[in-house]
């Protein structure tokens, strides 16, 4: 059963929100996890939202290939800093996609 679960995960790109820090009215950081094939390059759109769910900060983060050979090496954690137009209340990964 473990073999089939891990086997199905190969080639899939997933992302998860881990946390965020609102540093000031003009800065925030977002922590997130990305699971991808080790040799893949992906980009993720990161958003900081205000209390009405409007985007007050956005950034595209490029994540290149990384070391590893086991299925457990597919996931890594990242932190990115963003400038914001006004004070945010949350930070999220909007989407991720693989580059060709």
């Amino acid at each position: 059963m473990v073999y089939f679960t891990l086997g199905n995960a190969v080639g899939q790109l997933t992302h998860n929100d881990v946390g965020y820090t609102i540093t000031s009215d003009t800065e925030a950081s977002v922590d997130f996890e990305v699971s991808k094939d080790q040799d893949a390059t992906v980009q993720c759109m990161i958003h900081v939202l205000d209390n009405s769910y409007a985007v007050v900060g956005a950034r595209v983060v490029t994540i290149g290939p990384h070391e590893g050979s086991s299925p457990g090496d597919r996931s890594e954690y990242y932190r990115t800093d963003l400038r914001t137009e006004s004070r945010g209340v949350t930070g999220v990964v909007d989407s991720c996609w693989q580059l060709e």
Side-chain angles (χ1 to χ4, degrees):
M1 182 150 111
V2 172
Y3 174 78
F4 291 113
T5 302
L6 294 176
N8 289 337
V10 173
Q12 291 184 355
L13 171 62
T14 61
H15 59 83
N16 293 305
D17 299 327
V18 175
Y20 63 90
T21 302
I22 306 301
T23 310
S24 70
D25 288 346
T26 59
E27 294 179 275
S29 63
V30 177
D31 300 317
F32 58 102
E33 175 188 24
V34 174
S35 296
K36 65 178 189 66
D37 290 340
Q38 290 90 340
D39 60 348
T41 298
V42 302
Q43 289 186 319
C44 296
M45 174 61 78
I46 313 299
H47 285 165
V48 175
L49 308 174
D50 67 9
N51 58 3
S52 64
Y53 301 103
V55 176
V56 295
R59 182 176 196 175
V60 174
V61 177
T62 301
I63 301 168
H66 62 270
E67 298 287 323
S69 58
S70 72
D73 295 332
R74 295 185 73 247
S75 296
E76 290 197 345
Y77 292 90
Y78 301 93
R79 170 176 283 172
T80 189
D81 298 321
L82 293 90
R83 308 269 308 149
T84 59
E85 297 174 4
S86 60
R87 188 167 193 87
V89 297
T90 191
V92 297
V93 179
D94 180 67
S95 60
C96 291
W97 58 94
Q98 186 167 329
L99 298 178
E100 297 297 319

